[in-house]
Amino acid sequence: MTIVPLSLPDASLPPVDFVVIDVETSCARVCSICQIGIVGMRDGVEVFAYETLIDPCDDFSPFNTRIHGIASEHVVGKPTFADVHAVVGGHLNGQTTVAHSTFDKGALAAACRRHGLPPIETVWLDSVRIARRAWPDLPNHKLNTLSRFLKISHRHHDALSDARASAMVVVHATTQTGLSLADWSSPTPPRTRSTPRPALEGPLKGQKIVILGSPKDGPLAQRLAAQGARIMATLGTSATMLVISNAQPFGRFIHAHADYRRAEELRRAGAAIEIVGEDDLLGRIAR
């Protein structure tokens, strides 16, 4: 991996599949960039990193400083955005650029306008959208949540660390789904999965089951339907059971999942819905 000096010429950049950028701002004005972190990725590996503090030529709000730890004294003598615009453009222009949410894209555009500089010309990808497509059942797709879920080393609200974490979200999502960068740029395809038809008889006849952690048409759903259960696509008031799949990828976050919380709310309201693990349920029907 190469740590990129401020004055690195474009011709010296190693070839990349995509770059990732993260910025921190000093106040509520989105143009007030005070830190930039960029990483370049090739074949799932980081090949260069660039990071600098920025004098935002603006106020530092206590709220923002509490978030990222950067205060006015930290940027004394640091370059302004105008000073690093050419370097940032050298990394991003003509590339596919990933950012976690659209905030960084908007901040760069606003900083360019404020300083009267040309806009960054790049193809943007949102790693929040990528994560939602790869892991739709996670309780949220914040970068710190994804980092814990994927076991990524991460220091939240440090621009370079955030950029590295976002890069690894893309790498893991590509491995998880088999989708390419071009695929991520395309619209999300409609879901066409249907639930299996329940058997006419069986120990689970009459049960309306929502499965948490594996597909509604997967092996567990097929097995439960073969025992008479009706597999439900969504958790509503008619559901009688929420089954936690052994394959669920959420670990300790399972209790924060929307379906789990919804089932608990229904139980507190008096609904006859049970929350049960896959092994417990299969053990019952095997007796």
Side-chain angles (χ1 to χ4, degrees):
M1 183 197 68
T2 303
I3 298 295
V4 179
L6 190 64
S7 59
L8 183 75
D10 294 356
S12 301
L13 291 174
V16 296
D17 298 321
F18 64 94
V19 294
V20 189
I21 188 166
D22 185 88
V23 305
E24 301 296 331
T25 54
S26 66
C27 63
R29 285 177 285 278
V30 72
C31 61
S32 64
I33 296 175
C34 61
Q35 187 186 32
I36 296 176
I38 303 172
V39 295
M41 303 295 293
R42 177 81 174 179
D43 297 328
V45 176
E46 181 181 315
V47 293
F48 77 79
Y50 167 79
E51 185 274 339
T52 185
L53 290 171
I54 299 286
D55 181 348
C57 306
D58 209 330
D59 299 328
F60 276 82
S61 78
F63 176 81
N64 288 50
T65 295
R66 281 195 299 271
I67 289 174
H68 49 55
I70 303 169
S72 57
E73 60 266 25
H74 298 129
V75 301
V76 174
K78 299 299 181 181
T80 67
F81 180 78
D83 295 327
V84 303
H85 174 267
V87 178
V88 174
H91 292 317
L92 271 60
N93 283 327
Q95 303 285 0
T96 296
T97 301
V98 172
H100 202 69
S101 84
T102 59
F103 175 82
D104 307 272
K105 175 183 177 180
L108 283 180
C112 287
R113 289 193 299 270
R114 179 182 183 185
H115 292 273
L117 296 166
I120 303 297
E121 300 291 346
T122 190
V123 176
W124 288 96
L125 279 180
D126 181 356
S127 53
V128 174
R129 177 175 173 268
I130 289 172
R132 285 174 180 156
R133 196 165 168 183
W135 303 284
D137 293 327
L138 280 177
N140 66 66
H141 297 85
K142 297 176 182 178
L143 194 53
N144 55 347
T145 299
L146 288 164
S147 295
R148 287 193 294 268
F149 172 59
L150 297 170
K151 297 180 173 58
I152 299 169
S153 178
H154 178 221
R155 187 167 72 256
H156 201 26
H157 292 301
D158 172 85
L160 184 56
S161 183
D162 282 352
R164 284 175 166 153
S166 299
M168 293 312 299
V169 167
V170 176
V171 171
H172 281 286
T174 298
T175 301
Q176 170 80 9
T177 64
L179 297 175
S180 66
L181 284 176
D183 294 327
W184 293 124
S185 301
S186 64
T188 304
R191 296 184 180 182
T192 58
R193 287 175 168 172
S194 59
T195 58
R197 185 172 297 179
L200 296 177
E201 299 295 336
L204 294 177
K205 182 178 180 179
Q207 295 286 356
K208 297 180 179 179
I209 294 178
V210 174
I211 299 174
L212 178 50
S214 64
K216 65 184 181 183
D217 61 348
L220 177 58
Q222 299 285 348
R223 187 170 183 181
L224 298 181
Q227 300 296 321
R230 180 177 297 279
I231 306 302
M232 310 292 287
T234 58
L235 185 63
T237 56
S238 64
T240 61
M241 194 176 291
L242 178 67
V243 176
I244 311 300
S245 167
N246 290 342
Q248 67 91 1
F250 314 116
R252 62 189 180 91
F253 291 106
I254 191 69
H255 300 286
H257 191 280
D259 283 347
Y260 198 103
R261 296 198 309 270
R262 173 64 172 155
E264 289 187 319
E265 290 171 2
L266 290 170
R267 289 172 67 178
R268 287 194 293 269
I273 181 170
E274 182 181 6
I275 302 174
V276 61
E278 174 182 339
D279 286 341
D280 288 342
L281 180 58
L282 294 179
R284 289 184 208 172
I285 63 179
R287 292 172 191 159

